[in-house]
C-alpha cells in the first residue's frame, strides 16, 4: 500500500544571502544526515580506499547484491518486476552471448535501444564480460549516428527493433560493414543480423569468471555528448569513476535503502540514468523503476504506479512539470527525494513547494569531467560541494579562454565571483577523456598555477558560493559580450521565464553588422495569441541591466531540444534575426517596446538606420 506523506517541506537553508553559503546552514544540514551516518561513513570509506588498479566493477557489485539479497526487487518496468537474482542471471546469459559472438575483454559493443529492461540487461551483460558498452543515442540518424559508431569502433552492435528506422538511415554510409557482429533484439532480424534474445537464452546463468578479474581503471561505457554545438564526442567512463559516483552520490548523498525505488525517466544513453540512477540503486540494493521516456503529463501517475520514493531529473524536465496545470494530487505521491542537475534557481522554491519534495540533491558533473559537486546538505539553489582539487578562474569572454596574468598563470576569482571552473588532473582524479585523442588535448590546460601542472577545462562558468560550494551560471559558449558587458544567458532566461505567457525562453547572442560583440536574442515559447510587446519590454527593463535586455525576440510554438532536454541553439544562432530565413514572428526592441521585425525594418537595421 502506498502511503503519501502529508506535509509541506520546510524551506531548506538558502545557499546564500542571495548566493552565499554560510557555515550555520552547512552545520544544520550535517546534523540532518546523522540518522544515516553509517551510510555516509561507508561512502567515505569507499571513496578513500578505491584505487584505479584495484579489482572491482559494476558487474561485481551487481553480483554481490544478487548473493546478499536475491529476492529483493532490482528492476521495475510497467507492471513487471525482476529480483536481483533474476536480473543478475539475465546479465550473465547476455555476457555468455557476447562471448559466443566473439566479443573480447576491452572491446566495444554498441547498443542502440530505447529504454526497456532488455537494454539494461544488455548493458550489464556487456560489462560483466569485461567489454565496453557504447551507448548510442537512438534519436540520431544518418551521418550523426554513423559518426558515433565510427568513434567507438565496435566489435558488435546490438540494435532493438524499435530502432529500425535509425539503422535504415545508415544505408550507404558503409559503417555497418565495419562491424563484425550484428545482433537484433526483436522479431524478424534483418539479413546478416542474429537473434539477440535467442542467443542469450542459450547461455548459462552462472556468473562469468572474467567479472571477478576486472579492475576499476578499465572502461565500462562510452557516453556521447549531446551534439548541441557540433558532432558528438564519445567520452570514456571507467568502472573507477562509476564506483566513485556510486559512493559519493549514492551512499553519501542519496542514502537510499533496500525498500526504496528510484524512478528514472531519462534515456539510458545518458550518464544521469546510467551512473547517477543505477549507481544510487546499486549502492544500497534499492529498486530502479525505468520509464520508456519522459512525459510531463504521465510523470506523477508513473511515480505513483511504481511507488517511487525518489526520481532523477535533468535540464528543463522540472520546468516542464511546473508548466503542467496544478491539480489537487500534486502532493499525492511517495517521493521524498530528487536528484539531478539543471534545476534553475528561479523555479527551485516553486517546484519544491508545489510538489512537496523534502530534499533536492542537485549536483554538477559531466560525462568527461574528473570531478563532481553534490548538494549533500539540502541547501537551496546550489550544485553543492566537492572535496577534490578545483579552481574558479578569470575568463576572457572575447577570446573565450581563461585569462592569464603577466606571469602567464591563471588567476582565481574572489569568493562570490563568477569564473571558469577547472579541475586538477591527478592519479586520484584522472581524465579519462574521449575516444578521439585529438579532442582530449583541447580540454586540457597546462602550466596553470605552476610549471608542469595539468587541469581539465570544464567549459562552464560557475559562481563561487563559499565553503567549496558552487552555483552553475552558464556554458562558456552561451555567455556573450554586448556593449562592453558580459551577458549570462541564464540570467536573461530567468527574467523571461518569470513573465506570464512565457513557457520556455532560450537566449543566445547574434552578430549584428557594424556592431561589436553579439546582441541578445530570445526565442520564446509563447502561450497567448497576442504578444504584449510593451509589457514584456517594461518587465525586462525592470529586471535586467539595459545591456542585457534582448534586442530581438522570436516567438515559436515549441523549442527544439535534444533527448536530454538541452536546447538546440546552433540553428537559432545561424538563422539570427533575418525574416527571410525565419517563418516565425520576429520583434526588435525599439525604445520602450518591441516592434515587428519586417523585411523592411530588417533592411533598415542592416544598413545602420536603427539605433541599437
Amino acid at each position: 500500500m502506498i502511503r503519501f506523506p502529508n506535509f509541506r517541506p520546510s524551506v531548506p537553508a538558502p545557499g546564500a544571502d542571495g548566493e552565499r553559503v554560510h557555515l550555520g546552514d552547512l552545520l544544520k544540514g550535517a546534523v540532518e544526515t546523522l540518522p544515516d551516518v553509517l551510510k555516509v561513513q561507508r561512502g567515505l570509506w569507499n571513496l578513500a580506499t578505491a584505487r584505479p588498479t584495484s579489482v572491482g566493477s559494476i558487474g561485481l557489485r551487481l553480483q554481490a547484491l544478487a548473493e546478499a539479497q536475491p529476492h529483493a526487487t532490482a528492476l521495475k518496468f510497467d507492471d513487471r518486476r525482476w529480483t536481483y537474482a533474476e536480473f543478475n542471471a539475465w546479465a550473465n546469459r547476455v555476457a555468455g552471448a557476447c562471448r559466443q559472438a566473439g566479443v573480447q575483454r576491452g572491446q566495444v559493443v554498441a547498443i542502440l535501444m530505447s529504454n526497456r529492461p532488455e537494454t539494461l540487461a544488455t548493458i550489464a551483460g556487456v560489462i560483466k564480460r569485461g567489454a565496453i558498452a557504447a551507448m548510442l543515442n537512438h534519436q540520431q540518424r544518418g551521418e550523426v549516428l554513423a559518426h558515433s559508431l565510427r568513434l567507438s569502433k565496435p566489435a558488435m552492435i546490438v540494435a532493438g527493433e524499435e530502432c529500425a528506422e535509425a539503422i535504415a538511415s545508415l544505408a550507404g554510409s558503409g559503417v555497418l560493414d565495419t562491424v563484425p557482429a550484428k545482433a537484433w533484439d526483436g522479431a524478424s532480424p534483418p539479413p546478416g543480423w542474429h537473434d539477440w534474445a535467442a542467443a542469450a537464452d542459450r547461455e548459462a546463468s552462472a556468473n562469468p569468471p572474467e567479472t571477478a578479474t576486472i579492475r576499476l581503471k578499465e572502461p565500462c561505457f562510452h557516453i556521447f555528448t549531446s551534439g548541441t554545438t557540433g558532432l558528438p564526442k564519445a567520452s570514456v567512463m571507467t568502472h573507477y569513476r562509476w564506483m566513485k559516483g556510486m559512493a559519493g552520490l549514492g551512499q553519501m548523498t542519496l542514502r537510499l535503502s533496500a525498500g526504496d525505488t528510484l524512478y528514472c525517466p531519462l534515456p539510458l544513453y545518458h550518464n544521469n540514468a546510467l551512473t547517477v540512477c543505477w549507481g544510487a540503486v546499486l549502492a544500497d540494493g534499492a529498486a530502479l523503476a525505468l520509464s520508456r521516456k519522459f512525459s510531463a503529463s504521465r510523470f506523477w501517475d508513473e511515480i505513483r504506479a511504481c511507488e517511487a520514493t525518489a526520481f532523477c531529473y535533468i535540464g528543463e524536465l522540472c520546468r516542464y512539470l511546473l508548466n503542467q496545470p496544478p491539480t489537487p494530487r500534486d502532493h499525492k505521491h511517495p517521493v521524498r527525494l530528487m536528484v539531478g542537475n539543471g534545476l534553475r534557481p528561479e523555479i527551485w522554491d516553486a517546484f519544491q513547494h508545489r510538489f512537496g519534495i523534502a530534499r533536492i540533491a542537485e549536483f554538477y558533473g559531466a560525462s568527461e569531467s574528473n570531478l563532481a559537486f553534490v548538494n549533500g546538505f539540502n541547501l537551496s539553489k546550489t550544485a553543492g560541494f566537492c572535496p577534490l582539487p578545483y579552481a574558479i578562474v578569470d575568463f576572457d569572454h572575447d577570446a573565450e579562454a581563461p585569462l592569464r596574468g603577466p606571469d602567464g598563470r591563471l588567476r582565481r576569482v574572489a569568493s562570490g565571483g563568477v569564473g571558469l571552473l577547472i579541475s586538477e588532473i591527478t592519479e586520484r582524479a584522472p581524465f579519462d577523456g574521449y575516444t578521439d585523442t585529438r579532442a582530449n588535448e583541447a580540454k586540457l590546460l597546462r602550466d596553470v598555477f605552476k610549471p608542469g601542472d595539468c587541469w581539465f577545462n570544464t567549459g562552464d562558468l560557475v559562481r563561487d558560493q563559499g565553503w567549496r560550494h558552487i552555483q552553475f551560471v552558464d556554458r562558456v559558449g552561451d555567455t556573450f559580450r554586448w556593449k562592453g558587458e558580459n551577458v549570462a544567458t541564464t540570467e536573461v532566461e530567468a527574467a523571461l521565464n518569470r513573465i506570464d505567457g512565457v513557457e520556455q525562453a532560450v537566449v543566445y547572442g547574434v552578430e549584428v553588422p557594424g556592431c561589436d560583440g553579439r546582441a541578445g536574442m530570445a526565442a520564446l515559447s509563447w502561450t497567448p495569441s497576442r504578444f504584449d510587446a510593451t509589457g514584456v519590454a517594461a518587465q525586462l527593463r525592470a529586471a535586467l541591466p539595459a545591456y542585457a535586455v534582448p534586442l530581438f525576440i522570436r516567438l515559436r510554438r515549441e523549442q527544439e531540444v535534444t533527448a536530454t532536454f538541452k536546447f538546440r541553439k546552433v540553428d537559432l544562432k545561424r538563422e539570427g534575426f533575418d525574416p527571410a530565413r525565419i517563418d516565425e514572428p520576429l520583434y526588435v526592441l525599439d525604445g520602450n517596446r518591441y516592434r515587428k521585425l519586417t523585411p523592411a525594418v530588417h533592411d533598415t537595421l542592416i544598413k545602420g538606420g536603427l539605433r541599437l
Side-chain angles (χ1 to χ4, degrees), residues 10-320:
S10 58
V11 178
D17 288 334
E19 309 294 351
R20 303 279 300 172
V21 167
H22 299 295
L23 179 59
D25 302 332
L26 286 175
L27 293 175
K28 179 177 179 291
V31 169
E32 291 175 353
T33 68
L34 289 178
D36 295 323
V37 67
L38 293 179
K39 292 180 181 178
V40 175
Q41 288 176 342
R42 185 155 54 95
L44 278 170
W45 173 259
N46 289 335
L47 279 177
T49 57
R51 295 288 186 275
T53 54
S54 301
V55 171
S57 67
I58 304 167
L60 203 59
R61 177 62 186 163
L62 175 61
Q63 189 171 306
L65 287 168
E67 294 169 356
Q69 50 181 64
H71 305 298
T73 301
L75 178 63
K76 300 179 180 180
F77 184 79
D78 293 342
D79 58 352
R80 292 180 285 168
R81 305 288 184 269
W82 287 263
T83 66
Y84 270 96
E86 290 169 339
F87 186 76
N88 183 62
W90 188 3
N92 292 339
R93 293 191 294 273
V94 170
C98 289
R99 182 177 59 252
Q100 290 299 322
V103 175
Q104 302 298 314
R105 182 166 170 170
Q107 289 188 318
V108 175
V109 176
I111 299 175
L112 184 66
M113 301 170 71
S114 63
N115 273 21
R116 50 192 179 97
E118 294 82 0
T119 311
L120 192 61
T122 298
I123 294 166
V126 167
I127 59 179
K128 291 196 85 171
R129 173 62 179 154
I132 305 163
M135 302 305 301
L136 297 174
N137 183 339
H138 55 78
Q139 309 283 353
Q140 293 176 350
R141 298 291 186 271
E143 180 52 35
V144 178
L145 180 57
H147 169 79
S148 297
L149 273 167
R150 293 188 192 104
L151 287 178
S152 283
K153 302 179 177 65
M156 180 168 72
I157 180 172
V158 181
E161 62 181 351
E162 70 278 12
C163 298
E165 181 185 330
I167 291 296
S169 75
L170 296 172
S173 69
V175 67
L176 289 177
D177 296 334
T178 66
V179 183
K182 304 177 191 64
W184 189 261
D185 192 73
S188 304
W193 295 67
H194 68 268
D195 189 321
W196 185 236
D201 286 343
R202 290 192 294 266
E203 298 300 317
S205 297
N207 292 312
E210 56 266 33
T211 305
T213 67
I214 298 170
R215 297 187 181 276
L216 290 175
K217 66 180 180 180
E218 296 181 49
C220 53
F221 304 128
H222 287 171
I223 304 295
F224 293 86
T225 61
S226 60
T228 55
T229 57
L231 288 173
K233 296 188 288 289
S235 64
V236 179
M237 170 68 72
T238 63
H239 290 275
Y240 178 63
R241 283 179 57 208
W242 191 97
M243 297 293 278
K244 286 202 304 180
M246 184 191 77
L249 259 173
Q251 293 169 329
M252 293 178 62
T253 304
L254 301 190
R255 307 185 294 276
L256 301 177
S257 299
D260 279 313
T261 294
L262 193 156
Y263 171 77
C264 176
L266 307 175
L268 284 170
Y269 58 73
H270 193 278
N271 233 350
N272 276 30
L274 208 54
T275 297
V276 176
C277 290
W278 202 27
V281 163
L282 293 187
D284 293 290
L288 178 69
L290 187 62
S291 175
R292 293 181 184 274
K293 65 178 182 178
F294 169 73
S295 166
S297 61
R298 296 195 309 269
F299 183 88
W300 293 109
D301 289 336
E302 291 187 4
I303 286 277
R304 298 179 191 103
C306 69
E307 301 180 313
T309 52
F311 70 83
C312 186
Y313 65 90
I314 190 173
E316 292 296 291
L317 184 152
C318 294
R319 194 183 300 279
Y320 296 151

Side-chain angles (χ1 to χ4, degrees), residues 496 499-500 524 526 530-543 549-550 553 555 587-596:
L496 282 162
I499 296 175
D500 288 342
L524 305 181
W526 184 262
R530 179 179 177 275
F531 177 62
D532 184 2
T534 302
V536 169
Q539 291 181 71
L540 289 175
R541 288 192 180 281
V549 175
I553 283 180
L555 300 185
Y587 293 82
V588 61
L589 187 64
D590 185 10
N592 293 323
R593 67 185 297 274
Y594 285 99
R595 63 184 289 194
K596 276 284 185 71

Side-chain angles (χ1 to χ4, degrees), residues 258-395:
D260 279 313
T261 294
L262 193 156
Y263 171 77
C264 176
L266 307 175
L268 284 170
Y269 58 73
H270 193 278
N271 233 350
N272 276 30
L274 208 54
T275 297
V276 176
C277 290
W278 202 27
V281 163
L282 293 187
D284 293 290
L288 178 69
L290 187 62
S291 175
R292 293 181 184 274
K293 65 178 182 178
F294 169 73
S295 166
S297 61
R298 296 195 309 269
F299 183 88
W300 293 109
D301 289 336
E302 291 187 4
I303 286 277
R304 298 179 191 103
C306 69
E307 301 180 313
T309 52
F311 70 83
C312 186
Y313 65 90
I314 190 173
E316 292 296 291
L317 184 152
C318 294
R319 194 183 300 279
Y320 296 151
L321 294 174
L322 204 56
N323 283 340
Q324 290 292 297
T327 76
R329 302 190 74 199
D330 283 345
H331 271 245
K332 300 293 185 180
H333 58 76
V335 172
R336 69 175 188 277
L337 166 69
M338 53 189 276
V339 57
N341 58 347
L343 179 58
R344 294 297 189 187
E346 70 268 16
I347 69 166
W348 187 299
D349 292 338
F351 188 91
Q352 186 166 26
H353 283 279
R354 173 173 164 181
F355 297 111
I357 310 295
R359 189 154 63 95
I360 298 177
E362 173 87 0
F363 71 89
Y364 167 88
S367 298
E368 68 274 32
S369 181
N370 64 336
L371 88 172
F373 288 75
V374 183
N375 181 15
F377 300 110
N378 201 24
L379 304 181
S380 179
K381 305 181 182 71
T382 180
F385 163 88
C386 177
L388 295 173
Y390 72 89
I392 304 171
V393 297
D394 286 329
F395 186 74

